[in-house]
Amino acid sequence: MADHDRFARALQIVARGVGRISRERARSGEVTPQQAETLLVISERGAVSTSSLAMTLGIDPSTASRNLAGLEKAGFITRKKGTDDGRQTDVRLTPRGKRAADTTAAGSSQAFAALLERVGRPDRQKLTDALEALARVLDGESAV
Amino acid sequence: MADHDRFARALQIVARGVGRISRERARSGEVTPQQAETLLVISERGAVSTSSLAMTLGIDPSTASRNLAGLEKAGFITRKKGTDDGRQTDVRLTPRGKRAADTTAAGSSQAFAALLERVGRPDRQKLTDALEALARVLDGESAV
DNA sequence: GACGTAACTTGTATTCTACAGACGGCCTCA
DNA sequence: TGAGGCCGTCTGTAGAATACAAGTTACGTC
């Protein structure tokens, strides 16, 4: 099998596994999987606009808007008209939203740590480094 | 930041990026994202039962059953009563399903290859190896 | 100030999801 | 041998997430 096929295959299995873990975790939480993901992105960025969030998640801006409406109604975020550009929406976490984001991040960290434990010790450092390199590329691609 | 936090964070970004790419690809295809994912798993395994598929994808068996019903109706798979265990369903690809799975796999491979190109050349081999190690762990976890 | 473009939201339809419950096949144990 | 219990699947129901189309408001340019 060609190298890039091996890469693609492994990447897909990994993404599938991460999705599985996230979904399992969400079933016992106070937010839905997509809400958790949205809160995490906002938490990492501090403040986002609707469209930049949509870009990061790879979803339609209309979908992002609807998801944010739900989070706002539930008291996790606030939406204000942007000061620089009146068309944009300035999305921020409420204290409650920040708590939820932190809880989610902690839970994920724990779940993934358990996973990392099952990788051979000598490979762990390599794995983290490699993933971070890939994450940098992917983050650049979804940049505002 | 602790090592396992770095790992968790990078893993989440990677999974997010893979989801984004898969969703974008699916928009131009003949199957939905979840259908593509389902066909890929069946193609890799040759034959699956409803519940083992659900386990692999991390979804409820009832959801898997419904998704399979859609794929069967669309002519991508066949469902027969299992020979060993009459309770199980023996799910297999039709020729049309196999074609769709191959097309999907080829497309993903191409999309991910483009991603791999953007990772520094010396890191590529390390990245593929590391991902495969992680994939092995995740595959074991979802084993039948 | 008028026109074109961009950001966001809402209308609508579809897909994907889980939890409950029903049905039928398998297995064990008396 | 058959009764009880468990397992695999499917269906009923309801909610969450998605995209595309179209409308509204704001920005920028000419």
Side-chain angles (χ1 to χ4, degrees), chain B residues 25-76:
Chain B
R25 272 195 39 70
R27 271 203 286 277
S28 58
E30 64 173 336
V31 296
T32 64
Q34 184 61 22
Q35 284 182 329
E37 187 72 3
T38 302
L39 290 176
L40 278 184
V41 171
I42 303 171
S43 178
E44 281 168 17
R45 299 268 185 91
V48 298
S49 69
T50 300
S51 56
S52 72
L53 175 68
M55 181 84 81
T56 298
L57 296 176
I59 60 179
D60 193 88
S62 69
T63 301
S65 175
R66 239 177 274 270
N67 293 348
L68 289 173
L71 285 169
E72 186 180 32
K73 193 174 174 188
F76 290 110

mmCIF file of all heavy atoms in Angstrom, chain B residues 25-76:
data_model
loop_
_atom_site.group_PDB
_atom_site.id
_atom_site.type_symbol
_atom_site.label_atom_id
_atom_site.label_comp_id
_atom_site.label_asym_id
_atom_site.label_seq_id
_atom_site.Cartn_x
_atom_site.Cartn_y
_atom_site.Cartn_z
ATOM 1 N N ARG B 25 -16.115 16.752 1.190
ATOM 2 C CA ARG B 25 -16.085 15.766 0.122
ATOM 3 C C ARG B 25 -17.469 15.171 -0.130
ATOM 4 O O ARG B 25 -17.878 14.954 -1.271
ATOM 5 C CB ARG B 25 -15.119 14.642 0.499
ATOM 6 C CG ARG B 25 -13.682 14.926 0.062
ATOM 7 C CD ARG B 25 -12.864 13.652 0.115
ATOM 8 N NE ARG B 25 -13.601 12.492 -0.339
ATOM 9 C CZ ARG B 25 -13.949 12.276 -1.598
ATOM 10 N NH1 ARG B 25 -13.618 13.131 -2.534
ATOM 11 N NH2 ARG B 25 -14.649 11.208 -1.914
ATOM 12 N N ALA B 26 -18.186 14.925 0.949
ATOM 13 C CA ALA B 26 -19.483 14.256 0.817
ATOM 14 C C ALA B 26 -20.500 15.125 0.089
ATOM 15 O O ALA B 26 -21.413 14.621 -0.558
ATOM 16 C CB ALA B 26 -20.013 13.882 2.205
ATOM 17 N N ARG B 27 -20.300 16.429 0.194
ATOM 18 C CA ARG B 27 -21.278 17.323 -0.434
ATOM 19 C C ARG B 27 -21.345 17.127 -1.941
ATOM 20 O O ARG B 27 -22.364 17.399 -2.556
ATOM 21 C CB ARG B 27 -20.926 18.788 -0.123
ATOM 22 C CG ARG B 27 -21.568 19.281 1.157
ATOM 23 C CD ARG B 27 -21.698 20.786 1.157
ATOM 24 N NE ARG B 27 -20.427 21.456 1.378
ATOM 25 C CZ ARG B 27 -19.882 21.668 2.557
ATOM 26 N NH1 ARG B 27 -20.489 21.232 3.644
ATOM 27 N NH2 ARG B 27 -18.751 22.302 2.688
ATOM 28 N N SER B 28 -20.248 16.656 -2.525
ATOM 29 C CA SER B 28 -20.220 16.508 -3.975
ATOM 30 C C SER B 28 -20.388 15.048 -4.399
ATOM 31 O O SER B 28 -20.271 14.722 -5.570
ATOM 32 C CB SER B 28 -18.892 17.055 -4.519
ATOM 33 O OG SER B 28 -17.818 16.364 -3.910
ATOM 34 N N GLY B 29 -20.653 14.172 -3.455
ATOM 35 C CA GLY B 29 -20.735 12.752 -3.772
ATOM 36 C C GLY B 29 -22.165 12.260 -3.886
ATOM 37 O O GLY B 29 -23.123 13.011 -3.728
ATOM 38 N N GLU B 30 -22.284 10.968 -4.140
ATOM 39 C CA GLU B 30 -23.620 10.395 -4.308
ATOM 40 C C GLU B 30 -24.172 9.837 -2.997
ATOM 41 O O GLU B 30 -25.319 9.421 -2.939
ATOM 42 C CB GLU B 30 -23.599 9.295 -5.374
ATOM 43 C CG GLU B 30 -22.746 8.090 -4.994
ATOM 44 C CD GLU B 30 -22.861 6.925 -5.993
ATOM 45 O OE1 GLU B 30 -23.874 6.851 -6.693
ATOM 46 O OE2 GLU B 30 -21.934 6.098 -6.040
ATOM 47 N N VAL B 31 -23.337 9.816 -1.960
ATOM 48 C CA VAL B 31 -23.794 9.313 -0.670
ATOM 49 C C VAL B 31 -23.572 10.362 0.418
ATOM 50 O O VAL B 31 -22.767 11.278 0.250
ATOM 51 C CB VAL B 31 -23.068 8.004 -0.276
ATOM 52 C CG1 VAL B 31 -23.399 6.891 -1.241
ATOM 53 C CG2 VAL B 31 -21.566 8.230 -0.218
ATOM 54 N N THR B 32 -24.277 10.214 1.502
ATOM 55 C CA THR B 32 -24.134 11.130 2.639
ATOM 56 C C THR B 32 -22.862 10.769 3.407
ATOM 57 O O THR B 32 -22.308 9.691 3.223
ATOM 58 C CB THR B 32 -25.341 11.021 3.575
ATOM 59 O OG1 THR B 32 -25.350 9.710 4.123
ATOM 60 C CG2 THR B 32 -26.646 11.271 2.829
ATOM 61 N N PRO B 33 -22.398 11.656 4.280
ATOM 62 C CA PRO B 33 -21.169 11.372 5.025
ATOM 63 C C PRO B 33 -21.248 10.065 5.814
ATOM 64 O O PRO B 33 -20.327 9.255 5.789
ATOM 65 C CB PRO B 33 -21.052 12.567 5.978
ATOM 66 C CG PRO B 33 -21.825 13.651 5.352
ATOM 67 C CD PRO B 33 -22.930 12.994 4.592
ATOM 68 N N GLN B 34 -22.342 9.883 6.494
ATOM 69 C CA GLN B 34 -22.460 8.691 7.326
ATOM 70 C C GLN B 34 -22.550 7.433 6.476
ATOM 71 O O GLN B 34 -22.015 6.379 6.841
ATOM 72 C CB GLN B 34 -23.696 8.820 8.231
ATOM 73 C CG GLN B 34 -23.871 7.688 9.216
ATOM 74 C CD GLN B 34 -22.697 7.580 10.172
ATOM 75 O OE1 GLN B 34 -21.959 8.543 10.386
ATOM 76 N NE2 GLN B 34 -22.501 6.410 10.749
ATOM 77 N N GLN B 35 -23.207 7.550 5.337
ATOM 78 C CA GLN B 35 -23.283 6.411 4.432
ATOM 79 C C GLN B 35 -21.898 6.059 3.908
ATOM 80 O O GLN B 35 -21.532 4.886 3.829
ATOM 81 C CB GLN B 35 -24.223 6.732 3.262
ATOM 82 C CG GLN B 35 -25.683 6.684 3.638
ATOM 83 C CD GLN B 35 -26.591 6.956 2.459
ATOM 84 O OE1 GLN B 35 -26.250 7.697 1.543
ATOM 85 N NE2 GLN B 35 -27.780 6.387 2.490
ATOM 86 N N ALA B 36 -21.118 7.078 3.572
ATOM 87 C CA ALA B 36 -19.761 6.841 3.091
ATOM 88 C C ALA B 36 -18.947 6.116 4.157
ATOM 89 O O ALA B 36 -18.251 5.135 3.873
ATOM 90 C CB ALA B 36 -19.097 8.168 2.718
ATOM 91 N N GLU B 37 -19.051 6.584 5.380
ATOM 92 C CA GLU B 37 -18.317 5.985 6.490
ATOM 93 C C GLU B 37 -18.731 4.533 6.692
ATOM 94 O O GLU B 37 -17.897 3.650 6.881
ATOM 95 C CB GLU B 37 -18.597 6.811 7.760
ATOM 96 C CG GLU B 37 -17.783 6.422 8.970
ATOM 97 C CD GLU B 37 -16.320 6.831 8.861
ATOM 98 O OE1 GLU B 37 -15.942 7.476 7.854
ATOM 99 O OE2 GLU B 37 -15.551 6.467 9.755
ATOM 100 N N THR B 38 -20.028 4.293 6.627
ATOM 101 C CA THR B 38 -20.548 2.937 6.795
ATOM 102 C C THR B 38 -20.043 2.014 5.690
ATOM 103 O O THR B 38 -19.578 0.892 5.959
ATOM 104 C CB THR B 38 -22.087 2.961 6.800
ATOM 105 O OG1 THR B 38 -22.546 3.809 7.841
ATOM 106 C CG2 THR B 38 -22.651 1.564 7.002
ATOM 107 N N LEU B 39 -20.105 2.487 4.472
ATOM 108 C CA LEU B 39 -19.625 1.661 3.350
ATOM 109 C C LEU B 39 -18.142 1.341 3.501
ATOM 110 O O LEU B 39 -17.706 0.220 3.220
ATOM 111 C CB LEU B 39 -19.868 2.386 2.019
ATOM 112 C CG LEU B 39 -21.332 2.498 1.574
ATOM 113 C CD1 LEU B 39 -21.449 3.322 0.297
ATOM 114 C CD2 LEU B 39 -21.957 1.124 1.381
ATOM 115 N N LEU B 40 -17.368 2.319 3.980
ATOM 116 C CA LEU B 40 -15.941 2.078 4.165
ATOM 117 C C LEU B 40 -15.689 0.964 5.166
ATOM 118 O O LEU B 40 -14.848 0.089 4.940
ATOM 119 C CB LEU B 40 -15.241 3.356 4.644
ATOM 120 C CG LEU B 40 -14.875 4.371 3.569
ATOM 121 C CD1 LEU B 40 -14.115 5.534 4.185
ATOM 122 C CD2 LEU B 40 -14.038 3.713 2.476
ATOM 123 N N VAL B 41 -16.406 1.006 6.272
ATOM 124 C CA VAL B 41 -16.204 -0.016 7.302
ATOM 125 C C VAL B 41 -16.572 -1.396 6.764
ATOM 126 O O VAL B 41 -15.835 -2.368 6.947
ATOM 127 C CB VAL B 41 -17.037 0.306 8.561
ATOM 128 C CG1 VAL B 41 -16.993 -0.861 9.538
ATOM 129 C CG2 VAL B 41 -16.524 1.566 9.220
ATOM 130 N N ILE B 42 -17.692 -1.476 6.079
ATOM 131 C CA ILE B 42 -18.103 -2.777 5.525
ATOM 132 C C ILE B 42 -17.074 -3.262 4.515
ATOM 133 O O ILE B 42 -16.705 -4.438 4.498
ATOM 134 C CB ILE B 42 -19.490 -2.687 4.856
ATOM 135 C CG1 ILE B 42 -20.528 -2.171 5.846
ATOM 136 C CG2 ILE B 42 -19.916 -4.055 4.332
ATOM 137 C CD1 ILE B 42 -21.872 -1.858 5.223
ATOM 138 N N SER B 43 -16.578 -2.343 3.718
ATOM 139 C CA SER B 43 -15.591 -2.704 2.700
ATOM 140 C C SER B 43 -14.315 -3.246 3.343
ATOM 141 O O SER B 43 -13.736 -4.229 2.867
ATOM 142 C CB SER B 43 -15.282 -1.486 1.836
ATOM 143 O OG SER B 43 -14.297 -1.793 0.870
ATOM 144 N N GLU B 44 -13.894 -2.629 4.435
ATOM 145 C CA GLU B 44 -12.678 -3.076 5.117
ATOM 146 C C GLU B 44 -12.859 -4.446 5.747
ATOM 147 O O GLU B 44 -11.944 -5.267 5.757
ATOM 148 C CB GLU B 44 -12.282 -2.076 6.214
ATOM 149 C CG GLU B 44 -11.573 -0.826 5.673
ATOM 150 C CD GLU B 44 -11.458 0.261 6.737
ATOM 151 O OE1 GLU B 44 -11.613 -0.058 7.933
ATOM 152 O OE2 GLU B 44 -11.234 1.431 6.354
ATOM 153 N N ARG B 45 -14.049 -4.678 6.277
ATOM 154 C CA ARG B 45 -14.290 -5.913 7.009
ATOM 155 C C ARG B 45 -14.804 -7.055 6.132
ATOM 156 O O ARG B 45 -14.811 -8.205 6.568
ATOM 157 C CB ARG B 45 -15.352 -5.667 8.104
ATOM 158 C CG ARG B 45 -14.969 -4.634 9.132
ATOM 159 C CD ARG B 45 -14.298 -5.286 10.313
ATOM 160 N NE ARG B 45 -14.055 -4.282 11.333
ATOM 161 C CZ ARG B 45 -14.913 -3.990 12.319
ATOM 162 N NH1 ARG B 45 -16.049 -4.643 12.416
ATOM 163 N NH2 ARG B 45 -14.628 -3.057 13.196
ATOM 164 N N GLY B 46 -15.326 -6.716 4.977
ATOM 165 C CA GLY B 46 -15.881 -7.749 4.112
ATOM 166 C C GLY B 46 -17.340 -8.009 4.423
ATOM 167 O O GLY B 46 -18.207 -7.923 3.580
ATOM 168 N N ALA B 47 -17.618 -8.357 5.659
ATOM 169 C CA ALA B 47 -18.993 -8.574 6.092
ATOM 170 C C ALA B 47 -19.091 -8.178 7.555
ATOM 171 O O ALA B 47 -18.155 -8.399 8.317
ATOM 172 C CB ALA B 47 -19.415 -10.019 5.906
ATOM 173 N N VAL B 48 -20.189 -7.593 7.940
ATOM 174 C CA VAL B 48 -20.371 -7.165 9.327
ATOM 175 C C VAL B 48 -21.786 -7.513 9.782
ATOM 176 O O VAL B 48 -22.656 -7.812 8.965
ATOM 177 C CB VAL B 48 -20.177 -5.647 9.495
ATOM 178 C CG1 VAL B 48 -18.769 -5.230 9.112
ATOM 179 C CG2 VAL B 48 -21.206 -4.873 8.678
ATOM 180 N N SER B 49 -21.980 -7.475 11.082
ATOM 181 C CA SER B 49 -23.329 -7.549 11.627
ATOM 182 C C SER B 49 -23.734 -6.128 12.011
ATOM 183 O O SER B 49 -22.882 -5.246 12.132
ATOM 184 C CB SER B 49 -23.372 -8.451 12.848
ATOM 185 O OG SER B 49 -22.676 -7.841 13.919
ATOM 186 N N THR B 50 -25.000 -5.932 12.210
ATOM 187 C CA THR B 50 -25.491 -4.612 12.574
ATOM 188 C C THR B 50 -24.813 -4.097 13.839
ATOM 189 O O THR B 50 -24.352 -2.958 13.893
ATOM 190 C CB THR B 50 -27.017 -4.655 12.798
ATOM 191 O OG1 THR B 50 -27.644 -5.083 11.589
ATOM 192 C CG2 THR B 50 -27.551 -3.290 13.169
ATOM 193 N N SER B 51 -24.726 -4.952 14.829
ATOM 194 C CA SER B 51 -24.205 -4.480 16.106
ATOM 195 C C SER B 51 -22.689 -4.264 16.074
ATOM 196 O O SER B 51 -22.173 -3.359 16.737
ATOM 197 C CB SER B 51 -24.574 -5.446 17.233
ATOM 198 O OG SER B 51 -24.115 -6.735 16.937
ATOM 199 N N SER B 52 -21.966 -5.090 15.301
ATOM 200 C CA SER B 52 -20.519 -4.868 15.248
ATOM 201 C C SER B 52 -20.225 -3.571 14.497
ATOM 202 O O SER B 52 -19.285 -2.843 14.841
ATOM 203 C CB SER B 52 -19.810 -6.053 14.589
ATOM 204 O OG SER B 52 -20.051 -6.099 13.207
ATOM 205 N N LEU B 53 -21.041 -3.278 13.521
ATOM 206 C CA LEU B 53 -20.905 -1.997 12.825
ATOM 207 C C LEU B 53 -21.156 -0.841 13.784
ATOM 208 O O LEU B 53 -20.402 0.138 13.829
ATOM 209 C CB LEU B 53 -21.890 -1.928 11.655
ATOM 210 C CG LEU B 53 -21.931 -0.596 10.920
ATOM 211 C CD1 LEU B 53 -20.635 -0.339 10.171
ATOM 212 C CD2 LEU B 53 -23.123 -0.538 9.962
ATOM 213 N N ALA B 54 -22.222 -0.980 14.575
ATOM 214 C CA ALA B 54 -22.563 0.064 15.540
ATOM 215 C C ALA B 54 -21.419 0.275 16.523
ATOM 216 O O ALA B 54 -21.055 1.402 16.854
ATOM 217 C CB ALA B 54 -23.843 -0.305 16.281
ATOM 218 N N MET B 55 -20.827 -0.829 16.955
ATOM 219 C CA MET B 55 -19.710 -0.769 17.893
ATOM 220 C C MET B 55 -18.531 -0.014 17.286
ATOM 221 O O MET B 55 -17.935 0.859 17.918
ATOM 222 C CB MET B 55 -19.294 -2.206 18.235
ATOM 223 C CG MET B 55 -18.166 -2.320 19.226
ATOM 224 S SD MET B 55 -18.762 -2.205 20.920
ATOM 225 C CE MET B 55 -19.327 -3.899 21.167
ATOM 226 N N THR B 56 -18.207 -0.343 16.065
ATOM 227 C CA THR B 56 -17.078 0.304 15.392
ATOM 228 C C THR B 56 -17.311 1.803 15.233
ATOM 229 O O THR B 56 -16.406 2.612 15.449
ATOM 230 C CB THR B 56 -16.868 -0.316 13.995
ATOM 231 O OG1 THR B 56 -16.548 -1.687 14.143
ATOM 232 C CG2 THR B 56 -15.738 0.378 13.264
ATOM 233 N N LEU B 57 -18.508 2.159 14.852
ATOM 234 C CA LEU B 57 -18.795 3.577 14.611
ATOM 235 C C LEU B 57 -19.146 4.323 15.900
ATOM 236 O O LEU B 57 -19.229 5.543 15.904
ATOM 237 C CB LEU B 57 -19.945 3.721 13.607
ATOM 238 C CG LEU B 57 -19.665 3.188 12.198
ATOM 239 C CD1 LEU B 57 -20.909 3.306 11.330
ATOM 240 C CD2 LEU B 57 -18.507 3.938 11.566
ATOM 241 N N GLY B 58 -19.369 3.575 16.970
ATOM 242 C CA GLY B 58 -19.726 4.222 18.227
ATOM 243 C C GLY B 58 -21.126 4.801 18.211
ATOM 244 O O GLY B 58 -21.390 5.829 18.822
ATOM 245 N N ILE B 59 -22.023 4.159 17.488
ATOM 246 C CA ILE B 59 -23.412 4.613 17.455
ATOM 247 C C ILE B 59 -24.321 3.524 17.991
ATOM 248 O O ILE B 59 -23.920 2.366 18.142
ATOM 249 C CB ILE B 59 -23.852 4.988 16.024
ATOM 250 C CG1 ILE B 59 -23.725 3.790 15.090
ATOM 251 C CG2 ILE B 59 -23.047 6.167 15.501
ATOM 252 C CD1 ILE B 59 -24.166 4.064 13.660
ATOM 253 N N ASP B 60 -25.544 3.895 18.287
ATOM 254 C CA ASP B 60 -26.527 2.967 18.821
ATOM 255 C C ASP B 60 -26.886 1.933 17.738
ATOM 256 O O ASP B 60 -26.988 2.276 16.570
ATOM 257 C CB ASP B 60 -27.767 3.741 19.237
ATOM 258 C CG ASP B 60 -28.700 2.908 20.085
ATOM 259 O OD1 ASP B 60 -28.519 2.902 21.319
ATOM 260 O OD2 ASP B 60 -29.584 2.246 19.506
ATOM 261 N N PRO B 61 -27.083 0.667 18.143
ATOM 262 C CA PRO B 61 -27.469 -0.355 17.161
ATOM 263 C C PRO B 61 -28.720 0.036 16.371
ATOM 264 O O PRO B 61 -28.832 -0.282 15.190
ATOM 265 C CB PRO B 61 -27.727 -1.590 18.015
ATOM 266 C CG PRO B 61 -26.881 -1.405 19.223
ATOM 267 C CD PRO B 61 -26.843 0.073 19.476
ATOM 268 N N SER B 62 -29.638 0.711 17.034
ATOM 269 C CA SER B 62 -30.856 1.095 16.321
ATOM 270 C C SER B 62 -30.548 2.091 15.209
ATOM 271 O O SER B 62 -31.153 2.058 14.140
ATOM 272 C CB SER B 62 -31.872 1.696 17.293
ATOM 273 O OG SER B 62 -31.443 2.947 17.770
ATOM 274 N N THR B 63 -29.584 2.959 15.470
ATOM 275 C CA THR B 63 -29.173 3.925 14.451
ATOM 276 C C THR B 63 -28.491 3.207 13.293
ATOM 277 O O THR B 63 -28.765 3.483 12.118
ATOM 278 C CB THR B 63 -28.207 4.959 15.060
ATOM 279 O OG1 THR B 63 -28.860 5.623 16.125
ATOM 280 C CG2 THR B 63 -27.764 5.976 14.025
ATOM 281 N N ALA B 64 -27.624 2.259 13.637
ATOM 282 C CA ALA B 64 -26.940 1.497 12.593
ATOM 283 C C ALA B 64 -27.952 0.765 11.733
ATOM 284 O O ALA B 64 -27.850 0.745 10.502
ATOM 285 C CB ALA B 64 -25.962 0.508 13.234
ATOM 286 N N SER B 65 -28.951 0.200 12.377
ATOM 287 C CA SER B 65 -29.982 -0.537 11.650
ATOM 288 C C SER B 65 -30.700 0.363 10.646
ATOM 289 O O SER B 65 -30.928 -0.007 9.500
ATOM 290 C CB SER B 65 -30.991 -1.101 12.645
ATOM 291 O OG SER B 65 -32.058 -1.730 11.974
ATOM 292 N N ARG B 66 -31.014 1.563 11.110
ATOM 293 C CA ARG B 66 -31.702 2.504 10.230
ATOM 294 C C ARG B 66 -30.820 2.937 9.057
ATOM 295 O O ARG B 66 -31.275 3.027 7.917
ATOM 296 C CB ARG B 66 -32.132 3.730 11.028
ATOM 297 C CG ARG B 66 -33.614 3.970 11.009
ATOM 298 C CD ARG B 66 -33.950 5.157 11.869
ATOM 299 N NE ARG B 66 -34.128 4.772 13.263
ATOM 300 C CZ ARG B 66 -35.307 4.401 13.765
ATOM 301 N NH1 ARG B 66 -36.369 4.357 13.006
ATOM 302 N NH2 ARG B 66 -35.424 4.063 15.026
ATOM 303 N N ASN B 67 -29.560 3.196 9.353
ATOM 304 C CA ASN B 67 -28.642 3.604 8.288
ATOM 305 C C ASN B 67 -28.503 2.489 7.247
ATOM 306 O O ASN B 67 -28.468 2.746 6.050
ATOM 307 C CB ASN B 67 -27.273 3.948 8.863
ATOM 308 C CG ASN B 67 -27.315 5.185 9.734
ATOM 309 O OD1 ASN B 67 -28.305 5.914 9.732
ATOM 310 N ND2 ASN B 67 -26.251 5.436 10.474
ATOM 311 N N LEU B 68 -28.427 1.259 7.749
ATOM 312 C CA LEU B 68 -28.305 0.125 6.834
ATOM 313 C C LEU B 68 -29.559 -0.029 5.996
ATOM 314 O O LEU B 68 -29.487 -0.378 4.807
ATOM 315 C CB LEU B 68 -28.027 -1.157 7.628
ATOM 316 C CG LEU B 68 -26.622 -1.246 8.242
ATOM 317 C CD1 LEU B 68 -26.503 -2.461 9.145
ATOM 318 C CD2 LEU B 68 -25.560 -1.294 7.145
ATOM 319 N N ALA B 69 -30.703 0.231 6.589
ATOM 320 C CA ALA B 69 -31.954 0.145 5.835
ATOM 321 C C ALA B 69 -31.914 1.101 4.646
ATOM 322 O O ALA B 69 -32.327 0.755 3.535
ATOM 323 C CB ALA B 69 -33.134 0.469 6.747
ATOM 324 N N GLY B 70 -31.388 2.292 4.885
ATOM 325 C CA GLY B 70 -31.267 3.274 3.805
ATOM 326 C C GLY B 70 -30.325 2.806 2.717
ATOM 327 O O GLY B 70 -30.625 2.916 1.523
ATOM 328 N N LEU B 71 -29.196 2.250 3.127
ATOM 329 C CA LEU B 71 -28.212 1.778 2.156
ATOM 330 C C LEU B 71 -28.755 0.586 1.356
ATOM 331 O O LEU B 71 -28.465 0.431 0.170
ATOM 332 C CB LEU B 71 -26.912 1.371 2.873
ATOM 333 C CG LEU B 71 -26.042 2.530 3.349
ATOM 334 C CD1 LEU B 71 -24.935 2.020 4.262
ATOM 335 C CD2 LEU B 71 -25.439 3.281 2.175
ATOM 336 N N GLU B 72 -29.549 -0.242 2.026
ATOM 337 C CA GLU B 72 -30.126 -1.392 1.337
ATOM 338 C C GLU B 72 -31.146 -0.921 0.295
ATOM 339 O O GLU B 72 -31.142 -1.370 -0.845
ATOM 340 C CB GLU B 72 -30.807 -2.318 2.346
ATOM 341 C CG GLU B 72 -31.302 -3.616 1.729
ATOM 342 C CD GLU B 72 -31.982 -4.506 2.769
ATOM 343 O OE1 GLU B 72 -32.604 -3.961 3.708
ATOM 344 O OE2 GLU B 72 -31.889 -5.734 2.638
ATOM 345 N N LYS B 73 -31.969 0.002 0.712
ATOM 346 C CA LYS B 73 -32.991 0.533 -0.187
ATOM 347 C C LYS B 73 -32.354 1.188 -1.413
ATOM 348 O O LYS B 73 -32.881 1.109 -2.521
ATOM 349 C CB LYS B 73 -33.841 1.563 0.578
ATOM 350 C CG LYS B 73 -35.115 1.960 -0.141
ATOM 351 C CD LYS B 73 -35.971 2.868 0.728
ATOM 352 C CE LYS B 73 -37.180 3.384 -0.051
ATOM 353 N NZ LYS B 73 -37.927 4.422 0.714
ATOM 354 N N ALA B 74 -31.189 1.811 -1.188
ATOM 355 C CA ALA B 74 -30.502 2.497 -2.280
ATOM 356 C C ALA B 74 -29.658 1.526 -3.112
ATOM 357 O O ALA B 74 -29.045 1.931 -4.105
ATOM 358 C CB ALA B 74 -29.625 3.619 -1.725
ATOM 359 N N GLY B 75 -29.626 0.260 -2.696
ATOM 360 C CA GLY B 75 -28.934 -0.740 -3.513
ATOM 361 C C GLY B 75 -27.441 -0.853 -3.268
ATOM 362 O O GLY B 75 -26.732 -1.439 -4.080
ATOM 363 N N PHE B 76 -26.961 -0.345 -2.131
ATOM 364 C CA PHE B 76 -25.525 -0.409 -1.862
ATOM 365 C C PHE B 76 -25.134 -1.664 -1.080
ATOM 366 O O PHE B 76 -23.982 -2.072 -1.099
ATOM 367 C CB PHE B 76 -25.067 0.823 -1.079
ATOM 368 C CG PHE B 76 -25.090 2.080 -1.880
ATOM 369 C CD1 PHE B 76 -26.007 3.082 -1.618
ATOM 370 C CD2 PHE B 76 -24.189 2.273 -2.921
ATOM 371 C CE1 PHE B 76 -26.034 4.252 -2.366
ATOM 372 C CE2 PHE B 76 -24.206 3.437 -3.672
ATOM 373 C CZ PHE B 76 -25.132 4.429 -3.403
#
